[in-house]
Amino acid sequence: VIRLRGDLRAGFLGLVAVSTSVGAGAFHLVLAQDGGQALDVVLLLLFTILFLWICVSFWTAALGAVEAFRLRSTDAAGGVAPATADESPLPPTAILLPVFNESATRIAATVRAIRASLAATGHGSSFAFFVLSDTTDADRWVEEEIVWTEIVAEGDGPAVHYRRRSPNVGRKSGNIADWCARWGAAHRYMLVLDADSLMEGATIVEMVRRMERDPRVAILQTPPRLVNQGTFFARARQFASGVYGPMHDAGFAALSGGDANYWGHNALLRVEAYARHCGLPPLPGAPPLGGEILSHDFVEAALLRRAGWRVELAQDLGGSYEEAPATLADHARRDERWCQGNLQHLRLVLMRGFHPASRVHFGTGAMAYVASPLWLVFLVVGLLLAIGAGGEAPWGARIFDGHALALFLTTMAMLLAPKAWAYLLLLRDRPRLAAHGGAARAAASVATETLVSTLAAPSFMLFHTQFVVGTFLGRTVRWTTHRRDAAGTTLAEAARDHGVHTAIGVVASVATAAFAPGLLPWMSPVLAGLVFAIPLAVLLGSPRVGAALRRARLLLTPEETHAPPVVARFHRELAVAEARRDARGADAPFEQAVRDPVVHAVHVDLVRASPASRPPTPARRRRIERIALRRGPSRLTPSDRAALLEDVELLARLHRWVRPT
Amino acid sequence: MNTRAHPATFFAVSTAGRSALRLAGATRIARYLAALGLPAKNATAAAAELARRAIFVRSYADDDPADATAYAFAVDEVERWLDHLAVACRAPHDAPAPRGLVAWHVRSGLAAHPEAFLRRSGLPESLVAAIRSLPSSAAPPEAPLAVRTACLDAPANAVRRHWWRRPFERTGIR
């Protein structure tokens, strides 16, 4: 198997190298038509790097397509985990849900849905949930405590524990390390989830069984499918995840074998191996490239691989879901944090002991963002060359001639062919095809998704360029919560987020039309995406447009056609949790912790059971007390509210003495 | 910390005025008890009783303003009762149930059995059973596992000058 894998990788690298060389050679010939210029070298270098990136993606998809054809099934998105006849008891497994200022009702719905799904497998007693809160917002903190109490009061199913810590050192990875340090010895495995993760109980049980069968595996990652969002943009991404995702995952899994990667959630980890090897030190130097490691997942996978453990992608396992950002801007905000984290990895590429595959993961993770500024520079240099040639740039003016035409068509084919293969694979799978709306609508959906991703790409190019440049200039990102239930993008929001993109697009369009009109056909997709970035953001961020497309059965996914049990249960539980929240009265949860006898008692219990936190200074305590007694707790600042919640003695005092509202 | 002593500035109030304030305090207490799950009618009656009793409890009667002290007395009475339930409703060797979870069950229990309020015996069986089944803590007993910090500051051999020099050193070439 190892030799076959090695042959496969060698073949893959050979194909990438040959195709990149051919592409670079063809581009050199195009440039050479008009004699050499100094900037040609820069352009050729940039083209080679970008074309290499396209080749890697193309050949991974090609391998995935071959794998999928060979296996005669691509369905990793149907929500059905392979059943095993083994009914032996499972080892103790913790399900970790690290949360940071998330909606407590969503957390409750997630826990209840997965808990019910696990209970239905008959193995519920082997699992225990841990809601690991790093929440700092006072209202959300108390709401978490309330929903935890509701869940515990329900009784049935796997145990659900709640722990909040302060200060939240190390963010998510620190949160998990803190759990290991306190409860790790009692569990063989931990399933790490994100706040928007959902997993079928049968899938979780199957993951544990696979880890039990192969004691060399330290991380078993599932490929989560995107679900639950309704905007045009998110639905396009969900469709892409459902149709192209399985093929890409099959290619990646075939190439990586036991050297796969960890994506930070929807994965099962061996607790002892994790504790032994994955305590993350801060990187030398100051943030953003030094300090706390932001994208911990890649590093943890690399550390385990370095220690000899296997990291595998269970690409054949369904029943694993997550949510996509709803709008372009939300996606960009998430990318900003990932970008900084992935660029930090560049410092680890040449560190001692890492497996070459881990170094490749670090490199490709960074390249996902660095490609954008390279693309931008490539476009700008191309434009400058064209302007310098009096608007008669050979590769622009003669785009429909010889080498240039061949290169253009080849590049487009390499970008679009994986989508066509995925569609062909879909045609072979009748049930899945029906779930995507049938052959005609699936084809229309592929075309729609292609148009969306093409027009959105220039905005992301500028966003990513901004993030990469900002990171190298020393700008750090804040730890914020994702907006998971966006109501859409207003024109004002779009103008704020994409105004600069539009301005750049207009200037570039005018310059191109005036000085290098021959380039316009070549540049038009990019320029259109930028010039119309604002209306495009409104359109793509619209839940109404998303719903209309769904009614037209476009961009349909199997999860929308027939909601998997855990997703359907999540929606039911969310509705119940929101109704309960609304029934709790008008007082904000923080106010309830001060005044309501039950919520106050719950909060005091949970703070006393949590690790010791930093009490406020005596002077701050006196100030909080004075403001709360004279003007009411609602007049406290967000930071003082959190400080008050941590100080149960002061809180108990105010519970008795604070004036009625 | 003493949670009973009122921390705010006090005003001189006559004995008659103090009684009036205690009645005003009863309204607040009634709202508090309703939040605990007591039906409105029972909450009003229980609040009046608690406000009256507060007058005779020295540590509260000495404090002002009187409505606030009556309220604080009621809160203490309720919390003492919850703590009693947390112990009394458990099996002999079980740790007490968390007060918050007890209060959560009391809220639904009092709606059906308001007569059980502040009662220390003869509690409804459903409430006792619910408290008995509660976990003793939000988190299970700790089972610590040492988390070792990985080394991430050693550069790979290929980027160390020494590694490149080694073949030449072996052959004696400098």
Side-chain angles (χ1 to χ4, degrees):
Chain A
V1 170
I2 291 169
R3 197 169 62 243
L4 277 177
R5 185 89 57 199
D7 292 346
L8 192 66
R9 287 180 187 173
F12 175 82
L13 290 176
L15 286 168
V16 169
V18 168
S19 48
T20 304
S21 304
V22 169
F27 192 68
H28 175 67
L29 290 175
V30 171
L31 290 174
Q33 287 179 41
D34 200 28
Q37 294 188 43
L39 280 176
D40 282 359
V41 179
V42 178
L43 210 57
L44 180 61
L45 182 65
L46 290 170
F47 177 87
T48 306
I49 297 170
L50 292 169
F51 198 69
L52 168 72
W53 189 234
I54 292 172
C55 289
V56 168
S57 175
F58 173 80
W59 287 115
T60 306
L63 182 61
V66 171
E67 280 286 295
F69 271 113
R70 194 173 60 82
L71 296 170
R72 299 189 62 80
S73 170
T74 58
D75 188 7
V80 180
T84 50
D86 189 356
E87 288 301 319
S88 57
L90 298 175
T93 301
I95 299 177
L96 307 187
L97 195 57
V99 294
F100 173 70
N101 290 338
E102 296 285 348
S103 155
T105 49
R106 292 181 70 87
I107 297 167
T110 299
V111 169
R112 286 194 177 104
I114 300 176
R115 192 186 193 206
S117 186
L118 269 173
T121 66
H123 293 285
S125 59
S126 299
F127 295 89
F129 285 82
F130 287 80
V131 178
L132 304 175
S133 174
D134 267 343
T135 294
T136 52
D137 178 89
D139 283 326
R140 295 201 172 215
W141 173 4
V142 176
E143 206 179 346
E144 283 169 11
E145 296 172 337
I146 294 171
V147 299
W148 172 79
T149 309
E150 284 174 349
I151 290 172
V152 170
E154 288 161 9
D156 299 331
V160 181
H161 306 295
Y162 176 85
R163 186 281 276 130
R164 181 187 173 273
R165 68 181 184 137
S166 172
N168 37 33
V169 178
R171 307 189 190 198
K172 184 177 169 185
S173 61
N175 199 354
I176 293 171
D178 176 78
W179 176 85
C180 285
R182 297 184 67 193
W183 295 290
H187 302 85
R188 189 177 301 172
Y189 303 112
M190 56 181 177
L191 182 81
V192 179
L193 300 177
D194 248 1
D196 60 0
S197 296
L198 283 170
M199 290 189 77
E200 294 286 0
T203 301
I204 298 170
V205 169
E206 174 65 17
M207 291 171 80
V208 175
R209 293 237 182 273
R210 288 188 185 189
M211 293 277 271
E212 284 287 272
R213 282 199 293 271
D214 191 345
R216 300 167 304 162
V217 178
I219 299 181
L220 188 62
Q221 173 71 57
T222 58
R225 295 286 160 248
L226 300 178
V227 293
N228 284 346
Q229 292 288 9
T231 61
F232 185 4
F233 175 68
R235 291 199 62 241
R237 293 206 58 231
Q238 286 169 186
F239 178 81
S241 154
V243 176
Y244 320 140
M247 185 182 72
H248 282 276
D249 293 338
F252 179 73
L255 272 177
S256 55
D259 309 319
N261 212 346
Y262 170 41
W263 301 333
H265 54 88
N266 294 45
L268 191 69
L269 286 83
R270 200 173 291 274
V271 175
E272 195 186 346
Y274 181 90
R276 188 180 291 249
H277 302 290
C278 293
L280 295 184
L283 290 174
L289 292 174
E292 222 166 59
I293 294 174
L294 296 185
S295 295
H296 58 96
D297 38 15
F298 281 35
V299 183
E300 287 159 353
L303 288 169
L304 285 165
R305 194 67 200 88
R306 182 170 83 173
W309 292 92
R310 288 172 66 83
V311 177
E312 292 188 353
L313 174 68
Q315 56 90 22
D316 60 322
L317 272 183
S320 175
Y321 310 97
E322 64 169 328
E323 293 181 9
T327 67
L328 282 174
D330 288 335
H331 196 288
R333 272 187 276 278
R334 189 186 70 174
D335 276 354
E336 185 174 17
R337 192 162 51 84
W338 286 9
C339 172
Q340 187 177 316
N342 287 12
L343 292 181
Q344 278 184 326
H345 295 167
L346 287 175
R347 301 188 59 169
L348 301 174
V349 170
L350 296 178
M351 285 298 169
R352 188 185 298 173
F354 285 129
H355 191 280
S358 301
R359 300 185 198 277
V360 170
H361 293 319
F362 287 144
T364 50
M367 188 61 188
Y369 297 97
V370 173
S372 286
L374 295 181
W375 183 27
L376 180 63
V377 173
F378 177 78
L379 293 175
V380 171
V381 172
L383 187 60
L384 290 176
L385 275 174
I387 292 171
E392 293 297 326
W395 58 283
R398 298 175 200 167
I399 191 163
F400 300 112
D401 297 341
H403 294 302
L405 179 62
L407 187 59
F408 174 75
L409 292 178
T410 305
T411 308
M412 294 310 292
M414 292 180 79
L415 288 170
L416 297 177
K419 295 178 193 274
W421 296 333
Y423 178 71
L424 290 175
L425 286 166
L426 191 61
L427 291 180
R428 286 159 44 96
D429 189 337
R430 292 282 168 193
R432 203 166 141 245
L433 179 65
H436 280 288
R441 285 196 169 80
S445 299
V446 169
T448 307
E449 188 282 327
T450 304
L451 185 66
V452 166
S453 54
T454 305
L455 291 175
S459 283
F460 281 118
M461 173 186 71
L462 293 185
F463 273 131
H464 291 175
T465 301
Q466 180 190 337
F467 302 153
V468 171
V469 171
T471 301
F472 283 119
L473 290 178
R475 203 168 74 84
T476 54
V477 293
R478 288 176 56 230
W479 191 19
T480 53
T481 310
H482 301 314
R483 214 168 49 139
R484 303 202 190 275
D485 43 6
T489 304
T490 64
L491 195 60
E493 287 170 341
R496 184 196 63 206
D497 295 328
H498 301 277
V500 175
H501 303 170
T502 302
I504 291 172
V506 169
V507 170
S509 300
V510 170
T512 309
F515 301 112
L519 271 184
L520 266 180
W522 181 275
M523 299 272 284
S524 57
V526 176
L527 295 175
L530 292 178
V531 170
F532 299 109
I534 293 173
L536 192 66
V538 174
L539 183 74
L540 292 179
S542 166
R544 287 175 62 189
V545 176
L549 289 169
R550 185 171 176 174
R551 282 195 296 277
R553 298 181 64 75
L554 285 173
L555 299 175
L556 215 53
T557 62
E559 290 77 23
E560 289 176 330
T561 314
H562 306 289
V566 75
V567 175
R569 178 82 185 230
F570 168 79
H571 286 294
R572 288 201 302 274
E573 295 290 356
L574 185 61
V576 170
E578 285 175 347
R580 281 184 184 156
R581 181 195 58 200
D582 296 342
R584 278 199 291 270
D587 274 356
F590 163 72
E591 290 257 339
Q592 291 182 38
V594 180
R595 299 178 192 280
D596 184 280
V598 178
V599 177
H600 174 79
V602 165
H603 174 76
V604 169
D605 276 346
L606 288 172
V607 171
R608 288 198 170 129
S610 293
S613 59
R614 287 176 305 195
T617 60
R620 190 180 187 194
R621 231 166 169 236
R622 282 194 297 275
R623 186 168 52 80
I624 291 171
E625 185 174 8
R626 192 176 62 245
I627 294 171
L629 286 171
R630 289 189 179 167
R631 300 166 65 193
S634 64
R635 307 304 292 268
L636 291 169
T637 64
S639 145
D640 282 346
R641 290 177 184 206
L644 171 58
L645 289 179
E646 292 199 4
D647 187 344
V648 289
E649 301 298 331
L650 178 57
L651 189 70
R653 198 161 150 80
L654 292 178
H655 180 58
R656 283 156 178 74
W657 295 110
V658 78
R659 292 181 187 185
T661 47
Chain B
M1 175 189 272
N2 174 19
T3 53
R4 286 183 183 173
H6 189 282
T9 311
F10 300 119
F11 301 94
V13 183
S14 68
T15 308
R18 193 174 291 169
S19 299
L21 279 169
R22 283 198 192 283
L23 288 176
T27 310
R28 272 184 75 191
I29 296 168
R31 279 212 297 268
Y32 179 83
L33 298 182
L36 189 70
L38 214 51
K41 199 176 85 179
N42 305 79
T44 305
E49 171 63 15
L50 283 167
R52 192 188 63 75
R53 278 171 53 197
I55 299 171
F56 302 106
V57 180
R58 185 175 177 79
S59 58
Y60 295 93
D62 289 348
D63 291 328
D64 260 316
D67 65 329
T69 56
Y71 184 79
F73 170 76
V75 170
D76 283 340
E77 282 293 285
V78 165
E79 291 190 348
R80 274 193 287 267
W81 179 58
L82 293 175
D83 288 342
H84 168 80
L85 295 183
V87 175
C89 297
R90 305 284 275 184
H93 299 294
D94 281 358
R99 187 200 286 166
L101 285 172
V102 172
W104 197 269
H105 282 286
V106 161
R107 175 134 71 188
S108 49
L110 284 182
H113 303 282
E115 73 283 357
F117 178 60
L118 293 187
R119 193 189 282 175
R120 298 196 170 220
S121 60
L123 292 161
E125 197 49 47
S126 58
L127 179 61
V128 174
I131 295 173
R132 186 169 294 153
S133 66
L134 287 173
S136 54
S137 171
E142 296 204 355
L145 184 63
V147 178
R148 294 186 197 167
T149 304
C151 173
L152 284 177
D153 53 9
N157 286 332
V159 292
R160 289 154 65 102
R161 199 181 297 166
H162 173 71
W163 189 79
W164 291 98
R165 278 187 190 157
R166 206 162 51 183
F168 298 101
E169 286 169 357
R170 277 186 195 153
T171 54
I173 302 170
R174 288 192 174 262

